[in-house]
Amino acid sequence: MNAPMGLRERKKQRTRETISDTAIALFLEHGFDQVSVVDIAAVAEVSKPTLFRYFPTKEDLVVHRFADHQGASSAVVAGRPPGVSPLDALHQHFLDGLAARDPITGLNDDEEVLAFHRLVYSTPSLVARVGEYLAQAEETLARALADALDSVREITPALLAGQVIATERILASVNWRRIVAGRSADELYPEAVADADHAYALLSHDPAGAAPPK
């Protein structure tokens, strides 16, 4: 179990959340390019140097939410139960995210979440920054897979990591586009699960389809 945060750490976490929440609210109201870092610092009641201590770039004020997930896949592989393959563990993790309506899976129809996605994917600099986080997640997953894959598998850890990250990104994008088109997350859920099952079957080199992990 993780040790509880001390007072100093809790205060830093609250400050970080306040700055980010303030920035996202301003971006949603006025547009990313129309809001300056100085504007955000003033509304959040912090200095500009303090803001940059928490978020190195303006883009990080938004896409740090993706950074918070970039080690998730590698942690799933490293912490999987005995006898469970890395792909089965990753598959189950994605299915769990769908069931929980985790925004990272695209299967979330909350208006605030949809507005956040529109902000990110309509702003080129944010899209580019998300790409950087995905590349880092891919590298981290490749290292975890290198420790987990047996030597007889005919695929390199880096290639498999790239396939997993790309597959989950595309699944999330498809889910999000369907919701934007007017479908609810609950209505879409069975279809999203079927898509994930099929995608992971392909990753497992079983095009006919595989049963979802138990």
Side-chain angles (χ1 to χ4, degrees), residues 165-181:
I165 296 299
T167 294
E168 294 192 349
R169 176 184 61 79
I170 293 168
L171 288 169
S173 178
V174 168
N175 292 336
W176 180 67
R177 289 200 303 270
R178 288 171 175 165
I179 286 176
V180 169

mmCIF file with all atom_site columns, all heavy atoms in Angstrom, residues 165-181:
data_model
loop_
_atom_site.group_PDB
_atom_site.id
_atom_site.type_symbol
_atom_site.label_atom_id
_atom_site.label_alt_id
_atom_site.label_comp_id
_atom_site.label_asym_id
_atom_site.label_entity_id
_atom_site.label_seq_id
_atom_site.pdbx_PDB_ins_code
_atom_site.Cartn_x
_atom_site.Cartn_y
_atom_site.Cartn_z
_atom_site.occupancy
_atom_site.B_iso_or_equiv
_atom_site.pdbx_formal_charge
_atom_site.auth_seq_id
_atom_site.auth_comp_id
_atom_site.auth_asym_id
_atom_site.auth_atom_id
_atom_site.pdbx_PDB_model_num
ATOM 1   N N   . ILE A 1 165 ? -0.510  0.359  -27.710 1.00 0.00 ? 165 ILE A N   1
ATOM 2   C CA  . ILE A 1 165 ? -0.825  1.776  -27.516 1.00 0.00 ? 165 ILE A CA  1
ATOM 3   C C   . ILE A 1 165 ? -1.667  2.298  -28.673 1.00 0.00 ? 165 ILE A C   1
ATOM 4   O O   . ILE A 1 165 ? -2.662  3.016  -28.468 1.00 0.00 ? 165 ILE A O   1
ATOM 5   C CB  . ILE A 1 165 ? 0.462   2.605  -27.370 1.00 0.00 ? 165 ILE A CB  1
ATOM 6   C CG1 . ILE A 1 165 ? 1.240   2.187  -26.105 1.00 0.00 ? 165 ILE A CG1 1
ATOM 7   C CG2 . ILE A 1 165 ? 0.142   4.096  -27.330 1.00 0.00 ? 165 ILE A CG2 1
ATOM 8   C CD1 . ILE A 1 165 ? 0.489   2.396  -24.809 1.00 0.00 ? 165 ILE A CD1 1
ATOM 9   N N   . ALA A 1 166 ? -1.308  1.923  -29.903 1.00 0.00 ? 166 ALA A N   1
ATOM 10  C CA  . ALA A 1 166 ? -2.084  2.367  -31.065 1.00 0.00 ? 166 ALA A CA  1
ATOM 11  C C   . ALA A 1 166 ? -3.487  1.782  -31.045 1.00 0.00 ? 166 ALA A C   1
ATOM 12  O O   . ALA A 1 166 ? -4.471  2.481  -31.347 1.00 0.00 ? 166 ALA A O   1
ATOM 13  C CB  . ALA A 1 166 ? -1.363  1.975  -32.354 1.00 0.00 ? 166 ALA A CB  1
ATOM 14  N N   . THR A 1 167 ? -3.597  0.510  -30.696 1.00 0.00 ? 167 THR A N   1
ATOM 15  C CA  . THR A 1 167 ? -4.908  -0.141 -30.657 1.00 0.00 ? 167 THR A CA  1
ATOM 16  C C   . THR A 1 167 ? -5.831  0.532  -29.654 1.00 0.00 ? 167 THR A C   1
ATOM 17  O O   . THR A 1 167 ? -6.993  0.842  -29.959 1.00 0.00 ? 167 THR A O   1
ATOM 18  C CB  . THR A 1 167 ? -4.749  -1.632 -30.310 1.00 0.00 ? 167 THR A CB  1
ATOM 19  O OG1 . THR A 1 167 ? -4.055  -2.297 -31.376 1.00 0.00 ? 167 THR A OG1 1
ATOM 20  C CG2 . THR A 1 167 ? -6.100  -2.298 -30.101 1.00 0.00 ? 167 THR A CG2 1
ATOM 21  N N   . GLU A 1 168 ? -5.339  0.785  -28.455 1.00 0.00 ? 168 GLU A N   1
ATOM 22  C CA  . GLU A 1 168 ? -6.185  1.400  -27.438 1.00 0.00 ? 168 GLU A CA  1
ATOM 23  C C   . GLU A 1 168 ? -6.525  2.843  -27.795 1.00 0.00 ? 168 GLU A C   1
ATOM 24  O O   . GLU A 1 168 ? -7.639  3.308  -27.511 1.00 0.00 ? 168 GLU A O   1
ATOM 25  C CB  . GLU A 1 168 ? -5.509  1.304  -26.074 1.00 0.00 ? 168 GLU A CB  1
ATOM 26  C CG  . GLU A 1 168 ? -5.384  -0.143 -25.583 1.00 0.00 ? 168 GLU A CG  1
ATOM 27  C CD  . GLU A 1 168 ? -4.983  -0.253 -24.129 1.00 0.00 ? 168 GLU A CD  1
ATOM 28  O OE1 . GLU A 1 168 ? -4.597  0.779  -23.535 1.00 0.00 ? 168 GLU A OE1 1
ATOM 29  O OE2 . GLU A 1 168 ? -5.056  -1.371 -23.569 1.00 0.00 ? 168 GLU A OE2 1
ATOM 30  N N   . ARG A 1 169 ? -5.605  3.538  -28.438 1.00 0.00 ? 169 ARG A N   1
ATOM 31  C CA  . ARG A 1 169 ? -5.892  4.911  -28.880 1.00 0.00 ? 169 ARG A CA  1
ATOM 32  C C   . ARG A 1 169 ? -7.010  4.911  -29.920 1.00 0.00 ? 169 ARG A C   1
ATOM 33  O O   . ARG A 1 169 ? -7.934  5.733  -29.860 1.00 0.00 ? 169 ARG A O   1
ATOM 34  C CB  . ARG A 1 169 ? -4.636  5.549  -29.463 1.00 0.00 ? 169 ARG A CB  1
ATOM 35  C CG  . ARG A 1 169 ? -4.873  6.951  -30.036 1.00 0.00 ? 169 ARG A CG  1
ATOM 36  C CD  . ARG A 1 169 ? -3.618  7.511  -30.682 1.00 0.00 ? 169 ARG A CD  1
ATOM 37  N NE  . ARG A 1 169 ? -3.151  6.686  -31.788 1.00 0.00 ? 169 ARG A NE  1
ATOM 38  C CZ  . ARG A 1 169 ? -3.685  6.708  -33.011 1.00 0.00 ? 169 ARG A CZ  1
ATOM 39  N NH1 . ARG A 1 169 ? -4.715  7.492  -33.288 1.00 0.00 ? 169 ARG A NH1 1
ATOM 40  N NH2 . ARG A 1 169 ? -3.177  5.942  -33.968 1.00 0.00 ? 169 ARG A NH2 1
ATOM 41  N N   . ILE A 1 170 ? -6.948  3.987  -30.869 1.00 0.00 ? 170 ILE A N   1
ATOM 42  C CA  . ILE A 1 170 ? -7.967  3.922  -31.918 1.00 0.00 ? 170 ILE A CA  1
ATOM 43  C C   . ILE A 1 170 ? -9.317  3.494  -31.335 1.00 0.00 ? 170 ILE A C   1
ATOM 44  O O   . ILE A 1 170 ? -10.360 4.055  -31.680 1.00 0.00 ? 170 ILE A O   1
ATOM 45  C CB  . ILE A 1 170 ? -7.523  2.965  -33.037 1.00 0.00 ? 170 ILE A CB  1
ATOM 46  C CG1 . ILE A 1 170 ? -6.313  3.561  -33.769 1.00 0.00 ? 170 ILE A CG1 1
ATOM 47  C CG2 . ILE A 1 170 ? -8.662  2.712  -34.021 1.00 0.00 ? 170 ILE A CG2 1
ATOM 48  C CD1 . ILE A 1 170 ? -5.616  2.592  -34.694 1.00 0.00 ? 170 ILE A CD1 1
ATOM 49  N N   . LEU A 1 171 ? -9.312  2.518  -30.442 1.00 0.00 ? 171 LEU A N   1
ATOM 50  C CA  . LEU A 1 171 ? -10.559 2.110  -29.798 1.00 0.00 ? 171 LEU A CA  1
ATOM 51  C C   . LEU A 1 171 ? -11.202 3.294  -29.071 1.00 0.00 ? 171 LEU A C   1
ATOM 52  O O   . LEU A 1 171 ? -12.419 3.512  -29.165 1.00 0.00 ? 171 LEU A O   1
ATOM 53  C CB  . LEU A 1 171 ? -10.298 0.974  -28.813 1.00 0.00 ? 171 LEU A CB  1
ATOM 54  C CG  . LEU A 1 171 ? -9.976  -0.398 -29.408 1.00 0.00 ? 171 LEU A CG  1
ATOM 55  C CD1 . LEU A 1 171 ? -9.482  -1.343 -28.306 1.00 0.00 ? 171 LEU A CD1 1
ATOM 56  C CD2 . LEU A 1 171 ? -11.188 -0.999 -30.124 1.00 0.00 ? 171 LEU A CD2 1
ATOM 57  N N   . ALA A 1 172 ? -10.392 4.057  -28.339 1.00 0.00 ? 172 ALA A N   1
ATOM 58  C CA  . ALA A 1 172 ? -10.914 5.214  -27.616 1.00 0.00 ? 172 ALA A CA  1
ATOM 59  C C   . ALA A 1 172 ? -11.446 6.266  -28.580 1.00 0.00 ? 172 ALA A C   1
ATOM 60  O O   . ALA A 1 172 ? -12.503 6.873  -28.342 1.00 0.00 ? 172 ALA A O   1
ATOM 61  C CB  . ALA A 1 172 ? -9.832  5.810  -26.723 1.00 0.00 ? 172 ALA A CB  1
ATOM 62  N N   . SER A 1 173 ? -10.740 6.484  -29.672 1.00 0.00 ? 173 SER A N   1
ATOM 63  C CA  . SER A 1 173 ? -11.170 7.474  -30.656 1.00 0.00 ? 173 SER A CA  1
ATOM 64  C C   . SER A 1 173 ? -12.497 7.083  -31.295 1.00 0.00 ? 173 SER A C   1
ATOM 65  O O   . SER A 1 173 ? -13.393 7.925  -31.478 1.00 0.00 ? 173 SER A O   1
ATOM 66  C CB  . SER A 1 173 ? -10.093 7.632  -31.733 1.00 0.00 ? 173 SER A CB  1
ATOM 67  O OG  . SER A 1 173 ? -10.489 8.553  -32.725 1.00 0.00 ? 173 SER A OG  1
ATOM 68  N N   . VAL A 1 174 ? -12.648 5.797  -31.626 1.00 0.00 ? 174 VAL A N   1
ATOM 69  C CA  . VAL A 1 174 ? -13.903 5.321  -32.212 1.00 0.00 ? 174 VAL A CA  1
ATOM 70  C C   . VAL A 1 174 ? -15.047 5.492  -31.220 1.00 0.00 ? 174 VAL A C   1
ATOM 71  O O   . VAL A 1 174 ? -16.147 5.959  -31.583 1.00 0.00 ? 174 VAL A O   1
ATOM 72  C CB  . VAL A 1 174 ? -13.761 3.848  -32.640 1.00 0.00 ? 174 VAL A CB  1
ATOM 73  C CG1 . VAL A 1 174 ? -15.123 3.249  -32.987 1.00 0.00 ? 174 VAL A CG1 1
ATOM 74  C CG2 . VAL A 1 174 ? -12.820 3.726  -33.835 1.00 0.00 ? 174 VAL A CG2 1
ATOM 75  N N   . ASN A 1 175 ? -14.816 5.136  -29.957 1.00 0.00 ? 175 ASN A N   1
ATOM 76  C CA  . ASN A 1 175 ? -15.863 5.301  -28.942 1.00 0.00 ? 175 ASN A CA  1
ATOM 77  C C   . ASN A 1 175 ? -16.274 6.758  -28.811 1.00 0.00 ? 175 ASN A C   1
ATOM 78  O O   . ASN A 1 175 ? -17.471 7.093  -28.740 1.00 0.00 ? 175 ASN A O   1
ATOM 79  C CB  . ASN A 1 175 ? -15.373 4.775  -27.586 1.00 0.00 ? 175 ASN A CB  1
ATOM 80  C CG  . ASN A 1 175 ? -15.201 3.269  -27.570 1.00 0.00 ? 175 ASN A CG  1
ATOM 81  O OD1 . ASN A 1 175 ? -15.817 2.557  -28.349 1.00 0.00 ? 175 ASN A OD1 1
ATOM 82  N ND2 . ASN A 1 175 ? -14.358 2.778  -26.683 1.00 0.00 ? 175 ASN A ND2 1
ATOM 83  N N   . TRP A 1 176 ? -15.296 7.631  -28.770 1.00 0.00 ? 176 TRP A N   1
ATOM 84  C CA  . TRP A 1 176 ? -15.572 9.062  -28.606 1.00 0.00 ? 176 TRP A CA  1
ATOM 85  C C   . TRP A 1 176 ? -16.360 9.601  -29.789 1.00 0.00 ? 176 TRP A C   1
ATOM 86  O O   . TRP A 1 176 ? -17.339 10.334 -29.621 1.00 0.00 ? 176 TRP A O   1
ATOM 87  C CB  . TRP A 1 176 ? -14.259 9.815  -28.433 1.00 0.00 ? 176 TRP A CB  1
ATOM 88  C CG  . TRP A 1 176 ? -14.448 11.298 -28.260 1.00 0.00 ? 176 TRP A CG  1
ATOM 89  C CD1 . TRP A 1 176 ? -15.032 11.926 -27.198 1.00 0.00 ? 176 TRP A CD1 1
ATOM 90  C CD2 . TRP A 1 176 ? -14.078 12.322 -29.173 1.00 0.00 ? 176 TRP A CD2 1
ATOM 91  N NE1 . TRP A 1 176 ? -15.040 13.290 -27.394 1.00 0.00 ? 176 TRP A NE1 1
ATOM 92  C CE2 . TRP A 1 176 ? -14.451 13.555 -28.590 1.00 0.00 ? 176 TRP A CE2 1
ATOM 93  C CE3 . TRP A 1 176 ? -13.441 12.330 -30.405 1.00 0.00 ? 176 TRP A CE3 1
ATOM 94  C CZ2 . TRP A 1 176 ? -14.227 14.770 -29.223 1.00 0.00 ? 176 TRP A CZ2 1
ATOM 95  C CZ3 . TRP A 1 176 ? -13.211 13.554 -31.032 1.00 0.00 ? 176 TRP A CZ3 1
ATOM 96  C CH2 . TRP A 1 176 ? -13.605 14.752 -30.442 1.00 0.00 ? 176 TRP A CH2 1
ATOM 97  N N   . ARG A 1 177 ? -15.972 9.229  -31.014 1.00 0.00 ? 177 ARG A N   1
ATOM 98  C CA  . ARG A 1 177 ? -16.677 9.726  -32.198 1.00 0.00 ? 177 ARG A CA  1
ATOM 99  C C   . ARG A 1 177 ? -18.131 9.245  -32.216 1.00 0.00 ? 177 ARG A C   1
ATOM 100 O O   . ARG A 1 177 ? -19.038 9.986  -32.609 1.00 0.00 ? 177 ARG A O   1
ATOM 101 C CB  . ARG A 1 177 ? -15.959 9.293  -33.474 1.00 0.00 ? 177 ARG A CB  1
ATOM 102 C CG  . ARG A 1 177 ? -14.634 10.003 -33.709 1.00 0.00 ? 177 ARG A CG  1
ATOM 103 C CD  . ARG A 1 177 ? -14.219 9.918  -35.163 1.00 0.00 ? 177 ARG A CD  1
ATOM 104 N NE  . ARG A 1 177 ? -14.114 8.547  -35.627 1.00 0.00 ? 177 ARG A NE  1
ATOM 105 C CZ  . ARG A 1 177 ? -13.005 7.814  -35.575 1.00 0.00 ? 177 ARG A CZ  1
ATOM 106 N NH1 . ARG A 1 177 ? -11.907 8.328  -35.041 1.00 0.00 ? 177 ARG A NH1 1
ATOM 107 N NH2 . ARG A 1 177 ? -12.990 6.583  -36.044 1.00 0.00 ? 177 ARG A NH2 1
ATOM 108 N N   . ARG A 1 178 ? -18.363 8.018  -31.797 1.00 0.00 ? 178 ARG A N   1
ATOM 109 C CA  . ARG A 1 178 ? -19.737 7.502  -31.766 1.00 0.00 ? 178 ARG A CA  1
ATOM 110 C C   . ARG A 1 178 ? -20.589 8.237  -30.739 1.00 0.00 ? 178 ARG A C   1
ATOM 111 O O   . ARG A 1 178 ? -21.775 8.495  -30.965 1.00 0.00 ? 178 ARG A O   1
ATOM 112 C CB  . ARG A 1 178 ? -19.715 6.002  -31.471 1.00 0.00 ? 178 ARG A CB  1
ATOM 113 C CG  . ARG A 1 178 ? -19.211 5.161  -32.650 1.00 0.00 ? 178 ARG A CG  1
ATOM 114 C CD  . ARG A 1 178 ? -18.990 3.732  -32.241 1.00 0.00 ? 178 ARG A CD  1
ATOM 115 N NE  . ARG A 1 178 ? -18.611 2.900  -33.388 1.00 0.00 ? 178 ARG A NE  1
ATOM 116 C CZ  . ARG A 1 178 ? -18.084 1.682  -33.292 1.00 0.00 ? 178 ARG A CZ  1
ATOM 117 N NH1 . ARG A 1 178 ? -17.887 1.142  -32.094 1.00 0.00 ? 178 ARG A NH1 1
ATOM 118 N NH2 . ARG A 1 178 ? -17.771 1.005  -34.376 1.00 0.00 ? 178 ARG A NH2 1
ATOM 119 N N   . ILE A 1 179 ? -19.992 8.588  -29.613 1.00 0.00 ? 179 ILE A N   1
ATOM 120 C CA  . ILE A 1 179 ? -20.728 9.338  -28.596 1.00 0.00 ? 179 ILE A CA  1
ATOM 121 C C   . ILE A 1 179 ? -21.012 10.753 -29.086 1.00 0.00 ? 179 ILE A C   1
ATOM 122 O O   . ILE A 1 179 ? -22.122 11.281 -28.902 1.00 0.00 ? 179 ILE A O   1
ATOM 123 C CB  . ILE A 1 179 ? -19.951 9.336  -27.264 1.00 0.00 ? 179 ILE A CB  1
ATOM 124 C CG1 . ILE A 1 179 ? -20.061 7.949  -26.611 1.00 0.00 ? 179 ILE A CG1 1
ATOM 125 C CG2 . ILE A 1 179 ? -20.476 10.416 -26.327 1.00 0.00 ? 179 ILE A CG2 1
ATOM 126 C CD1 . ILE A 1 179 ? -19.260 7.785  -25.346 1.00 0.00 ? 179 ILE A CD1 1
ATOM 127 N N   . VAL A 1 180 ? -20.033 11.382 -29.723 1.00 0.00 ? 180 VAL A N   1
ATOM 128 C CA  . VAL A 1 180 ? -20.246 12.716 -30.284 1.00 0.00 ? 180 VAL A CA  1
ATOM 129 C C   . VAL A 1 180 ? -21.376 12.688 -31.318 1.00 0.00 ? 180 VAL A C   1
ATOM 130 O O   . VAL A 1 180 ? -22.131 13.653 -31.467 1.00 0.00 ? 180 VAL A O   1
ATOM 131 C CB  . VAL A 1 180 ? -18.940 13.246 -30.912 1.00 0.00 ? 180 VAL A CB  1
ATOM 132 C CG1 . VAL A 1 180 ? -19.192 14.497 -31.743 1.00 0.00 ? 180 VAL A CG1 1
ATOM 133 C CG2 . VAL A 1 180 ? -17.906 13.543 -29.820 1.00 0.00 ? 180 VAL A CG2 1
ATOM 134 N N   . ALA A 1 181 ? -21.499 11.561 -32.014 1.00 0.00 ? 181 ALA A N   1
ATOM 135 C CA  . ALA A 1 181 ? -22.550 11.425 -33.020 1.00 0.00 ? 181 ALA A CA  1
ATOM 136 C C   . ALA A 1 181 ? -23.938 11.240 -32.404 1.00 0.00 ? 181 ALA A C   1
ATOM 137 O O   . ALA A 1 181 ? -24.932 11.210 -33.130 1.00 0.00 ? 181 ALA A O   1
ATOM 138 C CB  . ALA A 1 181 ? -22.236 10.257 -33.943 1.00 0.00 ? 181 ALA A CB  1
#
